[in-house]
Amino acid sequence: MKINIFSSLVFGAWLISIIPAISSQYVQDTTELEKFFLTLKDKPSSQKFENYLELEWLQGSIELFINKHFEPLKMRYDLENNIFEIKWNQQVKLLEGYKVKKFRWYKPNTGRQIQFVNCVTFQSDKWLTGFFEVLEDGPLTLLVKTELVKPPEYQTGSESSIYYDKKSKKMERKEYLYIAQRSEVYLSPKKKKDWMIYLQDKSEPIKYFMKENKLGFSKMEDIKKVIHFYNSTD
């Protein structure tokens, strides 16, 4: 009996001595992606977002301002609150948008990669929050920003008030086109002559390209083609 008691004591002491080592080894074996999820807050079951940039969960990647990159992530982005929802092991975690420098989505139906960049990475004459979608990248960068618009006013009796659908808090959205040179970003021009200010160093080939392809500056798809041509022309 004494031998058994002594053996138990020795085993117990040995087990206690290796527990820190086991814990340490577990942390070392945890992947960077798993560590990242452990730092995120759980989404409260009572918290509901309505105004997603894309309603479906999309695979993608995130780059933080602290020079950390994580992928693959299943996520969606809430426009109204500037918050990412990230799904992990049947849980939904939250990540504040101000911590994210850029992110990408992969559209399975088209095979396209869509890149977004935080608005604060550019200098602007007004404070911008949220993200730009990058339409064309290069010396002249074409960006689009989706913003929420307040619901229209409705007349209720003799009083005018803002009407919100009680069943849904979804808001209307509007896209604003921007153009960036180096680190400065500007709301896109409306007139051709104002566009040509940005394109003046290649004005002749641009004019010829637009004439041959019957392009203008009133449609986004036309503008994308013009900016792509500008960036790819020496």
Side-chain angles (χ1 to χ4, degrees), residues 79-161:
L79 271 170
E80 185 176 6
N81 299 289
N82 192 23
I83 288 178
F84 289 88
E85 288 186 357
I86 300 176
K87 190 177 286 188
W88 174 254
N89 288 342
Q90 306 307 314
Q91 291 182 301
V92 176
K93 299 280 192 173
L94 301 180
L95 173 65
E96 298 89 342
Y98 72 84
K99 296 180 180 179
V100 178
K101 184 177 182 180
K102 60 180 68 172
F103 72 97
R104 289 179 183 269
W105 267 335
Y106 309 104
K107 285 293 191 84
N109 55 334
T110 62
R112 289 180 58 238
Q113 291 188 24
I114 306 174
Q115 180 180 335
F116 296 84
V117 61
N118 200 309
C119 293
V120 300
T121 59
F122 294 95
Q123 296 177 14
S124 175
D125 58 358
K126 67 175 183 177
W127 179 252
L128 297 171
T129 59
F131 292 84
F132 290 121
E133 179 184 344
V134 181
L135 300 180
E136 291 291 336
D137 198 6
L140 207 56
T141 301
L142 188 65
L143 307 160
V144 64
K145 188 174 189 297
T146 303
E147 295 185 5
L148 295 173
V149 180
K150 290 182 179 180
E153 290 187 355
Y154 287 83
Q155 295 293 330
T156 56
S158 58
E159 297 180 358
S160 178
S161 63

Side-chain angles (χ1 to χ4, degrees), residues 48-223:
K48 294 183 179 179
F49 298 144
E50 299 284 345
N51 298 292
Y52 296 103
L53 185 57
E54 294 280 352
L55 184 58
E56 63 179 312
W57 293 91
L58 295 173
Q59 289 280 76
S61 64
I62 277 179
E63 182 181 329
L64 303 180
F65 277 104
I66 57 174
N67 293 322
K68 293 284 187 178
H69 179 91
F70 300 100
E71 67 175 322
L73 303 174
K74 184 174 284 188
M75 59 187 180
R76 55 186 183 180
Y77 172 68
D78 174 60
L79 271 170
E80 185 176 6
N81 299 289
N82 192 23
I83 288 178
F84 289 88
E85 288 186 357
I86 300 176
K87 190 177 286 188
W88 174 254
N89 288 342
Q90 306 307 314
Q91 291 182 301
V92 176
K93 299 280 192 173
L94 301 180
L95 173 65
E96 298 89 342
Y98 72 84
K99 296 180 180 179
V100 178
K101 184 177 182 180
K102 60 180 68 172
F103 72 97
R104 289 179 183 269
W105 267 335
Y106 309 104
K107 285 293 191 84
N109 55 334
T110 62
R112 289 180 58 238
Q113 291 188 24
I114 306 174
Q115 180 180 335
F116 296 84
V117 61
N118 200 309
C119 293
V120 300
T121 59
F122 294 95
Q123 296 177 14
S124 175
D125 58 358
K126 67 175 183 177
W127 179 252
L128 297 171
T129 59
F131 292 84
F132 290 121
E133 179 184 344
V134 181
L135 300 180
E136 291 291 336
D137 198 6
L140 207 56
T141 301
L142 188 65
L143 307 160
V144 64
K145 188 174 189 297
T146 303
E147 295 185 5
L148 295 173
V149 180
K150 290 182 179 180
E153 290 187 355
Y154 287 83
Q155 295 293 330
T156 56
S158 58
E159 297 180 358
S160 178
S161 63
I162 300 296
Y163 170 77
Y164 293 90
D165 188 342
K166 294 181 180 180
K167 295 182 180 179
S168 174
K169 295 180 181 179
K170 289 184 178 179
M171 299 172 68
E172 296 178 4
R173 56 186 65 192
K174 187 173 180 179
E175 292 183 339
Y176 294 90
L177 204 60
Y178 286 81
I179 193 163
Q181 286 182 312
R182 294 175 292 277
S183 62
E184 297 183 353
V185 67
Y186 310 92
L187 198 60
S188 67
K190 300 295 183 183
K191 299 178 180 179
K192 180 179 179 179
K193 66 176 183 178
D194 296 326
W195 269 106
M196 295 309 296
I197 294 173
Y198 295 99
L199 309 170
Q200 59 185 336
D201 57 322
K202 301 178 184 179
S203 60
E204 291 307 315
I206 289 290
K207 289 177 182 177
Y208 179 80
F209 174 75
M210 293 181 66
K211 184 177 180 180
E212 285 294 301
N213 294 277
K214 299 179 180 179
L215 302 175
F217 288 104
S218 59
K219 298 178 182 179
M220 187 181 295
E221 286 304 312
D222 284 6
I223 296 172

